[in-house]
Amino acid sequence: DQQVKQNSPSLSVQEGRISILNCDYTNSMFDYFLWYKKYPAEGPTFLISISSIKDKNEDGRFTVFLNKSAKHLSLHIVPSQPGDSAVYFCAANLPNDYKLSFGAGTTVTVRA
Amino acid sequence: DTEVTQTPKHLVMGMTNKKSLKCEQHMGHRAMYWYKQKAKKPPELMFVYSYEKLSINESVPSRFSPECPNSSLLNLHLHALQPEDSALYLCASSQVQVNTEAFFGQGTRLTVV
C-alpha cells in the first residue's frame, strides 16, 4: 500500500520557468518530509526537507510547501535549469522511525 | 567527505553463486541502510543498522544477509538469489536520529541470471 504518492510521472518545463512537483500522502502520522533528486546510474541526492510543524521551507532555488490538512506537499524549483533534469522523489518519515517511505518519482525534463 | 561509496557498481551472478555488496561511509554516521529499487519503482527499505546492530529487517528473505563489521562499513551477502532479485541496491547512512536526511550511495546494479 503506497502511502506516499506522486501522481505525475513526468513534467516538462522550459528553462527559466518554474517547476512544480506534487506529492500526496495518506498517513497523517508522517511528521517529516524530504525531497530527493536522482540522476540515472546514481543514488538519490537529498534536496530539501520540511517538518510537519512548518508549512514552508526554502533553500536557494528550491522551496517546499506543506499543507497538512490536504496531506499534500509540493516542491517549487525557480528558475528551472537544464541540470535539474532528473527524477524527483518525495519521501516521508513517521515519528521515531528511520524508514523512509518514497513516492514513485516524477521525471523532470528542462527544455532549453 | 559526504560520500557513501558502494562496490561493485555492477554485478552479474548466477542463481547458485555467493557474492557480497559493500558500502562505506566516513561521515561518522551510526545508522546505515540497505534499500532495493526495481525499475520505475521507488526505493524500498530492506535493513537498518543502528550502532552496528540490526534494528530493522523489513521481512527480507534469508538469501539476503546483512553485516555491519564496523561503524563505517556495511555489507550485503547474497546467496541463491532468484532472477526477480535483479534490481538496484542502494546503501544509505544517516545520523542516529529521526527527522534527518539519509545520504545514498550510487548503488549496485545487480543482475541475477
Side-chain angles (χ1 to χ4, degrees):
Chain A
D1 179 28
Q2 195 89 12
Q3 297 187 72
V4 179
K5 300 179 183 180
Q6 294 176 256
N7 293 318
S8 297
S10 63
L11 172 69
S12 180
V13 63
Q14 192 156 14
E15 182 178 1
R17 307 295 286 266
I18 184 171
S19 293
I20 299 177
L21 291 82
N22 294 305
C23 178
D24 297 293
Y25 59 95
T26 57
N27 191 337
S28 58
M29 297 300 293
F30 285 135
D31 70 342
Y32 192 68
F33 303 88
L34 308 91
W35 285 94
Y36 282 85
K37 173 181 177 179
K38 186 177 185 300
Y39 293 118
E42 293 187 13
T45 303
F46 169 74
L47 268 181
I48 192 168
S49 62
I50 188 166
S51 166
S52 61
I53 62 173
K54 295 186 173 182
D55 55 18
K56 178 182 174 181
N57 190 25
E58 191 171 354
D59 184 2
R61 296 187 297 116
F62 302 93
T63 303
V64 56
F65 296 92
L66 176 62
N67 182 333
K68 287 188 292 294
S69 60
K71 297 196 194 69
H72 176 84
L73 66 156
S74 61
L75 174 68
H76 292 208
I77 307 173
V78 182
S80 299
Q81 299 174 353
D84 296 330
S85 297
V87 179
Y88 290 78
F89 289 99
C90 173
N93 265 135
L94 290 169
N96 302 314
D97 192 352
Y98 294 108
K99 178 179 178 178
L100 283 172
S101 295
F102 283 89
T106 296
T107 301
V108 172
T109 303
V110 180
R111 310 185 310 271
Chain B
D1 183 2
T2 57
E3 276 197 355
V4 177
T5 303
Q6 290 187 244
T7 56
K9 291 183 183 180
H10 301 275
L11 178 63
V12 180
M13 62 184 290
M15 289 187 283
T16 58
N17 290 161
K18 285 185 181 181
K19 297 286 185 183
S20 296
L21 309 184
K22 297 186 183 300
C23 174
E24 187 170 5
Q25 57 87 16
H26 295 287
M27 293 178 278
H29 290 165
R30 302 298 293 277
M32 296 187 76
Y33 312 76
W34 282 113
Y35 281 82
K36 173 182 177 179
Q37 186 178 20
K38 301 281 276 184
K40 301 193 185 302
K41 296 285 187 182
E44 294 181 350
L45 182 67
M46 300 174 72
F47 302 103
V48 180
Y49 272 82
S50 175
Y51 296 109
E52 296 85 69
K53 293 196 185 323
L54 183 64
S55 59
I56 296 176
N57 177 341
E58 290 284 307
S59 302
V60 179
S62 60
R63 57 186 184 268
F64 296 90
S65 175
E67 178 197 20
C68 191
N70 60 53
S71 59
S72 300
L73 294 174
L74 184 67
N75 299 322
L76 186 63
H77 303 298
L78 313 172
H79 174 54
L81 295 193
Q82 303 297 311
E84 58 265 29
D85 296 321
S86 298
L88 181 68
Y89 288 84
L90 293 162
C91 174
S93 70
S94 74
Q95 298 178 16
V96 181
Q97 63 183 63
V98 292
N99 293 355
T100 186
E101 64 268 24
F103 291 80
F104 284 82
Q106 68 182 27
T108 294
R109 175 71 60 187
L110 174 68
T111 303
V112 182
V113 297

